[in-house]
Amino acid sequence: GAFTEKQEALVSSSFEAFKQNIPHLSILFYTLILEKAPAAKGLFSFLKDSDGVPQDNPKVKAHAEKVFELTRDSAAQLRAKGEVVLPDAISKHLGSVHVQKGVTDPQFAVVKDALLKTIKEAVGDKWSEELNTAWEIAYEELAAVIKKAMS
Ligand code: HEM
Ligand code: ISQ
């Protein structure tokens, strides 16, 4: 896939904007996921026993950050070698975690929409279609690797 230097730069710089405000943006991310996929609440060990999304749980923030970080890394890989490759152990681990939780294909689209909206909030008036498309491609390529490991 042709992923340009510009696209990678857009993803990297907006990931930095995300990191500036993890407490707010990670809660937004979960909230958007749960709005569209309420059943997902019972899947997250750190959410299932609380009302809404716990605001001050470090696990909640760390897990959300990981998803954005993996997507940012995928953008870098797409630029460098045209494909996303996860180390074998990581891909097997992510495949088995998501199978075990019973994650479905439509839920991948829900997480994508939530991720794109969260990035939009993170960058404010620096948002553009080009930025959005770059995140979308990186996420889709990463999701494809995880889905393959799930199958
Ligand atoms: C766990 C990433 C899609 C639900 C995880 C973990 C990562 C991750 C890094 C932590 C694994 C560990 O514990 O070591 C991703 C990425 C995705 C994706 C990069 C898409 C590209 C999804 C989707 C769902 C989902 C679509 C559906 C709602 C979960 C759940 C867990 C999990 C329930 C277990 C959380 C817990 O520890 O209780 N994911 N995920 N993931 N993911 Fe995803
Ligand atoms: C893991 N997988 C998918 C989405 C997530 C959102 C928040 C925290 C962890 C996640």
Side-chain angles (χ1 to χ4, degrees), residues 52-104:
V53 181
Q55 307 279 317
D56 262 315
N57 184 332
K59 263 197 194 170
V60 164
K61 288 179 253 186
H63 274 81
E65 182 179 2
K66 193 79 198 158
V67 176
F68 287 83
E69 193 179 10
L70 280 168
T71 310
R72 192 273 321 264
D73 293 348
S74 297
Q77 289 195 339
L78 284 169
R79 163 70 187 143
K81 52 188 175 198
E83 62 175 338
V84 174
V85 182
L86 294 177
D88 218 47
I90 307 257
S91 123
K92 284 200 174 111
H93 175 68
L94 288 180
S96 78
V97 167
H98 291 96
V99 165
Q100 232 163 60
K101 296 288 182 172
V103 170
T104 62

Side-chain angles (χ1 to χ4, degrees), residues 29-30 33 44 46 60 63-64 67 98 111:
F29 183 45
Y30 287 103
I33 293 172
F44 291 99
F46 37 86
V60 164
H63 274 81
V67 176
H98 291 96
V111 170

Side-chain angles (χ1 to χ4, degrees), residues 10-77:
L10 286 167
V11 171
S12 300
S13 62
S14 44
F15 176 70
E16 295 306 317
F18 167 80
K19 283 210 295 186
Q20 297 311 305
N21 197 358
I22 290 184
H24 165 64
L25 296 169
S26 62
I27 303 295
L28 174 65
F29 183 45
Y30 287 103
T31 304
L32 291 167
I33 293 172
L34 298 183
E35 259 170 34
K36 281 206 198 160
K41 189 165 199 292
L43 303 183
F44 291 99
S45 54
F46 37 86
L47 295 187
K48 63 173 193 273
D49 296 324
S50 57
D51 277 346
V53 181
Q55 307 279 317
D56 262 315
N57 184 332
K59 263 197 194 170
V60 164
K61 288 179 253 186
H63 274 81
E65 182 179 2
K66 193 79 198 158
V67 176
F68 287 83
E69 193 179 10
L70 280 168
T71 310
R72 192 273 321 264
D73 293 348
S74 297
Q77 289 195 339

